[in-house]
Every structure is written in C-alpha cells, then in structure tokens.
Amino acid sequence: MMTINLDNKISSTQKLLSIQQYEQNIVENTREVSNYWYLGLAFLLEGREEEAQITWMAPFLEFEEESEQWLQQLTEILLNAAQQQEANSNYQLAWVVRQHIKEFFPDDINNILKIIELDIDLNIHALENNINQLIEIISQLTEVPIFDENLLTTVLEKLVYPDPVNTPPFVNQLVETLVPHLENSETIIPLLIGKADAYYRCSNYYMSIYFAEFALRLEPNNLDCIIKIIPPLQRLGLDYIKKSIDWVKKYLTLAQEPIEQIIGSHYLLEAFLTSCESWEESVRAYQKHKSCLSNLVISKSDNETLVRMLPVGSFLLYMEDNPSENRLIRNGLAALCQQVVQKSFPENINTYKQRFNSTRPSLKERPLRIGYLSECFRTHSVGFLAWWLLKYHNRQQFDIYLYSLKENIYDPQQQAYKNEFSDRFHQECFSMVAMADKINQDEIDILVDLDSLTSYGNCAILALKPAPIQVSWLGYDATGFSTVDYFIADNYVLPESAQDYYTEKIWRLPQNYIGIDGFSVGTPTISRESLDISNDGIIYFSSQTGLKRNPHNIRLQMQIIKQVPNSYFLLKSHRSNHQDLQDFIAPIAEAEGVDLECLRFLPSAPTDMEHRANLAIADVVLDTYPYNGATTTLETLWMGIPLVTRVGEQFAARNSYTMMMNVGVTEGIAWSDEEYVEWGVRLGKDAALRQQIAWKLRQSRQTSPLWNGKKFAREMENAYQQMWQNYSGS
C-alpha cells in the first residue's frame, strides 16, 4: 500500500467524535462494530495510518461473523469521508482514504478512476500503475462494466488536454478499454475529436485518423467525426486519397445544411483532382460547389457554423480562370465569415483596437515589429521561399517575430527557423484567439500572412485583426477579408484591372513579388538510358500536383508531342500514384493520336534536391493552366530549362509569366491556347533557340532580381515602411 505525507490534517471534531470517545464507546459496547470503523477513520485522518488498519481489522479477528456486511459498512463510511475531503479540497487526505477503499474492494472501477484523478491533481507517480490496474480489471470482466461516465470524462480531459499528442500509451489504452462501454457518448466524442485535431496539427496523420475513427464507433453517423477523418487521409496522399473519397461521399449523403455540402464538395474536389479520378465527376462536383458558395453569399447567412468556411475557395482557382466573378464570391464569403468571427470575440477585438489608437510609434522611436504567420515554417514551398526574406531582414531596423500554427515536428527547415529566430519563434499550442492575443501582446505593427486560403488558422486570426496593418504574401491568393490591408504583387502577376475585384489594396513591388538566392541541387537518379530515350530524343517534362491537371491543358500538351518528331513526355504528380496519372492521361493521348510509347510516368522523387537534379534531363518544361507552377517554375528557370506557359487573368495563372519576365525570357510566354502549342512545338524543334534561352537563364543567376534574396528583402522592407507611414501619418 502507498502512503503520503499528510500536510492537511483535519481536526477530529469535524463531524467526528474524538478518538477518546470512540475508544470509550468500544469499551462500553464491544459488539457495536461501527465504533471500530469510525475510530479507525479518526486515526487515519490524524495521520496514524497503522493504528487505523489495526482498529479496522479488530472486529474481523475477534468476532468472525458478518464480515461481508461489515466490509460494506466500513467502505461506505470511508467513501463518505473521502467525498467530504474532496468537497473541502483536502485532496491528499481523500487520496489516502481511497487507497484503503481500494484495499477492501480492489475492483471498484469508480474508486480507481477517482484515485487516478487525484493522482493527476496531486502529481503522484502512481498514475501509470493505477491506469494499468484498471485496464486489467475491465479486461477480465465477463459483463459490461458499470462506472460513472461523467467521472471518466473528467479523468480523460485531465489526461488528454494538457498535451493531446504526447499522452502516454497507457492513456490511449484506457480510452480503448472504457470508451466503448459508454452509454452516453456526447461528452466523450468532443474529447476524441480534439485529440484527432491535435495529432493532425503536428502532422501525425495516422493517429489523427485513429482517434477520429474511434469517436465514430460511438456514433457512426456523426458528421463532426467523419470530417476529421478526411483531411489526414488526403494529406497522406497516394492510395489514401482514394480512400478519402468514400468518406466524403458518406459525409455528403448525411449532410443536410448548405455549409456542410460546401465542405463536403471541397474535399471531394481535392480527392478527385489530386488522385486524377474522373474529370466528369470533378466538373459536376465543382459546379455544385460553386453554386452552393454563390447561394451562401447571396443568402447573407449569419450562421455560427460559417467559421468553417474561412479558408474555402481555392478550387475556384484550379478549375477556371475567372477572377472577376470568382474573386467576388470569395470576397463575399470572407465578409460573412469575418462578421461571425468578430461577433464571437468582441472584447478581444476591442482590446486590439485600443492598442492601435493609443500607440502609433514613428519609425524613429523604435524598429517596426513585423510578425509572420504561417503553418509552413518547415519543409514546404512557402517555408523555403519565405526563408530568404526572413534571413536577410535588417534586424536593426525591424524586429521580426514568427508565429507558427504547426506544432513541433522534427523537420530540418523548421529547426533552421528556430535556430535563426530563437525566442521570437512562437510555436505554442495556442487556440486561434490565444494566438491573436499573443500577436497583440507582442505589439506587432505589421502582420504578414504567408498561407492565405491554405490555412484555417491564418484566416481566423486575420479576421480578428490583432495588428493595425495586415498583409497577405505567398499562399494561394488573397483571402478577401476587409481586415487585410494589402496584397503583395508586382506589375506582371496581376493585370491593372485586378484592383476592381480585390478588397485588399494591391501593393505592387517595383520588380517581382518574390526573390530567392537559388536552389541546392542533388544527384540525378534518372537518365535517358534508364528511360529508354535516345540521345537525340526531345524530352518534354511536367511535374505538378494532380490538382493542377485538366483534360484541356493535357490535350494541348499532347498536340505539342504529336507535332515534334522523336519527342517524349515525362510526367509526375506530387501526392498522386503515378499509375493513376497514367490512367488519367493515356485516354487523352490516344484520342489526340499520340503513341503511348512517347510517355513516361515517374514516381515522385524522395527529396527536393533529387527532383531538381532530375529536371536537368528535360529539354522543355510544359506549364499547367489555369493554375501555373510557382516553386516548380522557379526550379525550372534555375536549372536553365525553357518553359512554355499560358498566361491568364488570375494570380494563379500569371506566376510563371512574372518569373519569366524577371529573368528576361519572353520566349515561351503564350497568351492563348494556340500560342501555347506553337511555342511548345517551336522550342522542341529549334535546338539553337533552346540553347539561347538556357544561356539567358544561366546569365540571369547573376543579374535577375528573382535570384537576389537580399535585394528583395530591401524592397519588402521599403514597402513595410511606406505602409506604416501611410497608417501613422508620419
């Protein structure tokens, strides 16, 4: 038996007679066993534990009768005493009393649960032993265990919430053992969903799925449980994406509300496009998705569940190049979501505004405080592209703070950020409101959002506006929130007319909206010989996620291959199974009269450095439309490879255009489908032109602002200073 020092002894007069009086009662009536129970309890509460045990054992040894009834009576007295101590916050005494109840009735599930709760509160190291003992007791039962469900919920909350991800394995075993026996699952499902969320935030997708599916076992048609299974499956990629389609379809079958239908169609589109499934189904899903979004905006709904719509709208960019219409849908949706968020947290928002009104330091008083907000301070395109700006910031003129919405994971890029920014790198497991409060407490002057529509957390924080100036840069596109003041662009990536359909003011940098120092390149793992391609064969290359592929763009690419003799097309898609990509493209190629022997389907390279090295095999890279490459375009240009891109109207359809203009290459820029094919054919047939472009691209490494991260940092800093001057009037 375990004991503990009793620092909080209670007086024997608290609803108990004195030890002397109980001893006198026993002398006067030795057969009244309750006097032994109360005398032992009085000893116990005075810290005289051995005397208590001896006193309780006396009747059993002396009278040898009615032992079971006496044990029940003693246990009831001890339980009442324990509950009284708990009510009076005397938890150490309660813990000691319950240990003795456990000796008499070691299989009492509720008593052990209460001991576990006290273990947690008192930080007693018996926690694991007690949980394992409880698991063993339940596993040996032949009948359904009976226990206090509210007590179990309280215990699990205390076990799980402090660190949902890193809870010990024995806690998960306790969940598996007891939760299936709950009669009322309403209290425990939110706990399991919260645990699934926590694992998802730190990219532990398997455990996230495990807890979401566990919650679903308790309530098989619970939409909140189903929707927690879908994103981690899709993040795992490959065959898991196809598995997610069945879950999405189940979700849509059960969904009743328009918002639920939008959420479901959003994930269905992601699954269809990423896995290169039926294009016809993708189009139908998109049409329904867009129609539901439009109707929601028109309805001007004020439903609290609108917060789930915060980051929705990215598939408008993938499926069509129609910003004058689609931006208005996104802007309207953002306005509705922002209204709901701000209505939910008026005190926080008022606190932020008070700071804005009271402190407007001039640039001479102190350095500007710039906060960067992202889920992607890790091995990710955004994490890589942002690195150069953050690395080259002038730390004398600017105080830089990073706010990471992705929990701690082992990642070399993330570690580099931590090393570089030390205590200014904030990665606590905050709620979105708590993170907004942290940004406000740090007195950030300009908050820069790096993720845009890729992040629920970024959107929520931007809607709360914890900084007086908020800016969007990188990400997919602008968010559409009126709380965001500026959207960083340049003179090419958005046409002059774009301001007509953006709520944010477009801030055009003088040269380019991105600048980096270049890329590290590894050792190639493919060769012409390994791909059975002759040395004089012309190799076209396309490496994009399945989200960016569509039959129309692929048909244009096939027309190019068909017209260039001895040409081959190498294709791969990030997160897609290359067999799925082949099944998607082969029928289009056959319809265009392209021999399938001209196509090569490659699996994704295990590292970015290897991927870039393998790019060197290409003679020409064919871009996607209406969503161009971004990082992939930068990699292509860095490797000195000619690129054919189709320029559109939306931001996503002009990334390659602005990058090519900034390296001084116009060959390959197409303004129509016809030009796209023409450039593709010309570059395939004209080796001298390809060499000329390759030379320009090699020279651009020394001259282009695209490859000058330090210069780009100065341009961004100038922009920040001008923004602040406009705001402060200084």
Side-chain angles (χ1 to χ4, degrees):
M1 185 194 69
M2 297 189 66
T3 60
I4 191 169
N5 292 328
L6 303 181
D7 297 326
N8 296 318
K9 299 177 184 178
I10 66 167
S11 168
S12 60
T13 60
Q14 292 181 347
K15 295 192 177 181
L16 288 171
L17 301 175
S18 68
I19 290 174
Q20 292 77 11
Q21 287 175 309
Y22 281 123
E23 289 174 334
Q24 181 63 35
N25 289 346
I26 291 172
V27 171
E28 294 174 357
N29 186 357
T30 58
R31 302 289 301 185
E32 179 53 58
V33 295
S34 64
N35 288 319
Y36 292 90
W37 313 149
Y38 283 111
L39 175 60
L41 176 59
F43 281 136
L44 181 65
L45 296 179
E46 287 289 343
R48 297 158 66 178
E49 197 166 358
E50 291 185 7
E51 293 175 79
Q53 290 176 299
I54 293 170
T55 303
W56 288 329
M57 292 300 298
F60 297 99
L61 297 173
E62 292 180 19
F63 305 134
E64 297 183 355
E65 60 181 74
E66 298 187 60
S67 60
E68 185 174 345
Q69 181 180 347
W70 290 350
L71 198 58
Q72 290 280 2
Q73 185 184 50
L74 170 58
T75 303
E76 184 176 344
I77 290 171
L78 292 177
L79 179 60
N80 289 334
Q83 291 171 342
Q84 180 181 344
Q85 301 312 311
E86 289 154 6
N88 294 331
S89 301
N90 296 321
Y91 299 121
Q92 290 181 327
L93 281 172
W95 186 89
V96 171
V97 174
R98 286 189 178 276
Q99 294 299 321
H100 289 279
I101 297 175
K102 182 180 173 184
E103 285 187 352
F104 300 135
F105 287 96
D107 296 342
D108 187 327
I109 295 175
N110 285 329
N111 185 57
I112 299 176
L113 275 174
K114 194 66 186 180
I115 289 173
I116 291 170
E117 182 186 11
L118 292 168
D119 286 341
I120 299 166
D121 293 341
L122 297 170
N123 195 26
I124 295 174
H125 297 302
L127 179 63
E128 182 175 359
N129 289 336
N130 284 324
I131 289 179
N132 288 335
Q133 182 181 356
L134 181 57
I135 292 170
E136 183 178 356
I137 289 169
I138 296 170
S139 65
Q140 292 176 353
L141 293 177
T142 57
E143 298 179 351
V144 176
I146 300 173
F147 54 91
D148 184 338
E149 295 188 5
N150 290 330
L151 175 58
L152 172 64
T153 302
T154 300
V155 168
L156 289 178
E157 285 177 347
K158 290 184 176 183
L159 286 168
V160 170
Y161 278 152
D163 190 351
V165 174
N166 297 315
T167 48
F170 58 82
V171 174
N172 295 339
Q173 286 181 280
L174 179 62
V175 173
E176 287 190 25
T177 303
L178 273 178
V179 168
H181 300 296
L182 289 170
E183 293 183 4
N184 178 12
S185 60
E186 291 181 1
T187 56
I188 208 70
I189 284 179
L191 183 73
L192 296 173
I193 289 176
K195 201 161 171 54
D197 265 338
Y199 276 112
Y200 181 74
R201 286 197 301 272
C202 72
S203 303
N204 193 333
Y205 301 129
Y206 294 105
M207 289 303 294
S208 179
I209 293 166
Y210 169 79
F211 278 100
E213 287 185 332
F214 199 101
L216 197 63
R217 283 159 54 185
L218 301 177
E219 196 172 318
N221 291 331
N222 186 306
L223 287 177
D224 290 336
C225 297
I226 295 172
I227 205 64
K228 296 301 179 185
I229 296 171
I230 297 166
L233 281 173
Q234 295 186 345
R235 296 288 79 74
L236 286 170
L238 302 178
D239 292 337
Y240 290 100
I241 297 176
K242 286 188 173 181
K243 185 178 179 181
S244 77
I245 293 174
D246 294 332
W247 285 106
V248 177
K249 288 182 175 178
K250 178 177 181 178
Y251 180 88
L252 286 169
T253 300
L254 297 169
Q256 300 293 322
E257 299 298 324
I259 291 175
E260 295 168 348
Q261 289 290 327
I262 293 171
I263 292 291
S265 59
H266 173 91
Y267 285 118
L268 188 62
L269 275 167
E270 174 144 355
F272 279 154
L273 296 175
T274 304
S275 62
C276 300
E277 283 289 296
S278 166
W279 180 254
E280 290 74 17
E281 284 194 79
S282 299
V283 171
R284 286 195 294 271
Y286 174 69
Q287 290 170 343
K288 180 178 180 181
H289 182 69
K290 182 174 177 179
S291 175
C292 289
L293 281 173
S294 298
N295 291 337
L296 183 65
V297 171
I298 293 170
S299 72
K300 298 189 182 300
S301 170
D302 195 20
N303 192 319
E304 288 185 1
T305 57
L306 266 170
V307 294
R308 299 165 66 188
M309 300 288 100
L310 282 166
V312 169
S314 58
F315 290 107
L316 299 173
L317 307 173
Y318 287 111
M319 296 297 288
E320 59 179 337
D321 180 22
N322 187 7
S324 60
E325 182 178 301
N326 290 341
R327 280 301 320 172
L328 296 182
I329 294 174
R330 174 57 209 176
N331 295 343
L333 180 62
L336 294 177
C337 295
Q338 179 180 312
Q339 181 178 336
V340 172
V341 171
Q342 293 188 343
K343 185 184 293 185
S344 301
F345 303 99
E347 293 183 2
N348 302 74
I349 293 169
N350 186 55
T351 299
Y352 307 156
K353 288 181 178 178
Q354 288 178 358
R355 175 174 75 86
F356 306 163
N357 294 331
S358 62
T359 58
R360 294 196 181 191
S362 71
L363 297 178
K364 296 179 181 179
E365 291 179 46
R366 65 165 173 78
L368 273 181
R369 292 177 184 167
I370 312 295
Y372 289 89
L373 179 68
S374 179
E375 289 185 351
C376 302
F377 294 118
R378 53 190 170 89
T379 302
H380 184 281
S381 291
V382 169
F384 173 79
L385 297 177
W387 170 256
W388 305 101
L389 166 61
L390 297 174
K391 174 184 177 182
Y392 286 127
H393 259 310
N394 185 324
R395 305 294 177 84
Q396 281 70 49
Q397 293 185 5
F398 299 88
D399 287 337
I400 307 302
Y401 295 73
L402 273 58
Y403 301 93
S404 173
L405 300 182
K406 201 73 170 178
E407 292 188 33
N408 189 33
I409 55 175
Y410 176 75
D411 180 273
Q413 185 70 56
Q414 185 179 95
Q415 192 58 50
Y417 274 114
K418 288 182 176 180
N419 293 342
E420 182 74 18
F421 294 96
S422 187
D423 60 345
R424 298 289 178 86
F425 184 92
H426 300 292
Q427 197 178 19
E428 292 87 347
C429 184
F430 285 153
S431 68
M432 298 307 101
V433 177
M435 185 64 92
D437 285 342
K438 174 63 176 171
I439 292 166
N440 179 65
Q441 290 162 10
D442 287 341
E443 297 185 355
I444 296 302
D445 301 314
I446 300 177
L447 180 65
V448 184
D449 151 48
L450 303 184
D451 298 350
S452 182
L453 301 183
T454 63
S455 169
Y456 172 90
N458 275 41
C459 289
I461 291 169
L462 293 173
L464 290 167
K465 198 172 176 66
I469 298 175
Q470 297 194 148
V471 180
S472 281
W473 175 57
L474 296 179
Y476 275 30
D477 199 346
T479 60
F481 292 120
S482 63
T483 52
V484 179
D485 303 277
Y486 300 106
F487 180 51
I488 300 295
D490 56 39
N491 292 320
Y492 301 112
V493 79
L494 283 175
E496 291 183 8
S497 60
Q499 190 62 71
D500 295 341
Y501 43 81
Y502 277 89
T503 57
E504 304 88 345
K505 179 178 175 56
I506 299 171
W507 191 286
R508 297 181 188 270
L509 296 176
Q511 292 180 302
N512 47 289
Y513 83 94
I514 182 67
I516 65 174
D517 278 1
F519 295 93
S520 298
V521 181
T523 303
T525 55
I526 60 173
S527 64
R528 287 175 177 261
E529 182 180 5
S530 68
L531 297 174
D532 193 24
I533 297 175
S534 61
N535 289 334
D536 59 349
I538 304 302
I539 296 180
Y540 292 90
F541 197 100
S542 174
S543 174
Q544 295 289 0
T545 173
L547 290 170
K548 296 183 179 182
R549 299 193 185 278
N550 61 76
H552 181 72
N553 185 237
I554 294 168
R555 276 192 288 272
L556 298 180
Q557 293 169 341
M558 293 304 140
Q559 291 170 21
I560 294 169
I561 305 303
K562 184 179 179 180
Q563 295 181 52
V564 178
N566 197 26
S567 65
Y568 297 83
F569 195 17
L570 274 55
L571 301 105
K572 66 178 181 178
S573 276
H574 174 61
R575 289 174 59 204
S576 300
N577 187 312
H578 67 281
Q579 184 61 52
D580 294 334
L581 179 60
Q582 182 173 343
D583 293 341
F584 182 61
I585 288 180
I588 303 172
E590 290 179 327
E592 291 295 326
V594 173
D595 187 345
L596 296 184
E597 291 299 315
C598 297
L599 307 181
R600 301 288 188 274
F601 295 91
L602 308 178
S604 293
T607 67
D608 292 337
M609 291 177 63
E610 184 177 309
H611 156 71
R612 294 173 199 129
N614 288 340
L615 265 177
I617 199 173
D619 294 300
V620 181
V621 168
L622 299 179
D623 200 7
T624 48
Y625 173 85
Y627 203 120
N628 295 167
T631 304
T632 52
T633 294
L634 287 169
E635 291 169 329
T636 298
L637 300 178
W638 180 258
M639 294 300 296
I641 303 168
L643 175 77
V644 181
T645 188
R646 165 77 161 85
V647 186
E649 291 296 310
Q650 65 184 5
F651 184 89
R654 299 170 71 93
N655 268 305
S656 297
Y657 167 55
T658 189
M659 293 169 186
M660 290 178 70
M661 293 299 290
N662 274 289
V663 292
V665 173
T666 58
E667 297 87 348
I669 296 175
W671 295 90
S672 66
D673 292 346
E674 293 75 19
E675 284 190 26
Y676 183 87
V677 175
E678 290 170 4
W679 272 118
V681 172
R682 182 180 173 187
L683 287 170
K685 291 181 175 180
D686 193 338
L689 179 58
R690 294 199 304 271
Q691 291 175 354
Q692 179 185 346
I693 294 170
W695 181 85
K696 284 184 180 180
L697 291 174
R698 284 194 296 272
Q699 290 295 109
S700 77
R701 289 191 181 189
Q702 308 301 320
T703 59
S704 172
L706 194 65
W707 310 125
N708 192 331
K710 184 177 291 187
K711 182 177 181 181
F712 175 73
R714 301 290 86 79
E715 296 289 356
M716 283 287 276
E717 290 173 347
N718 289 338
Y720 293 155
Q721 289 173 329
Q722 291 174 44
M723 291 173 189
W724 187 255
Q725 288 169 348
N726 292 345
Y727 169 76
S728 63
S730 59

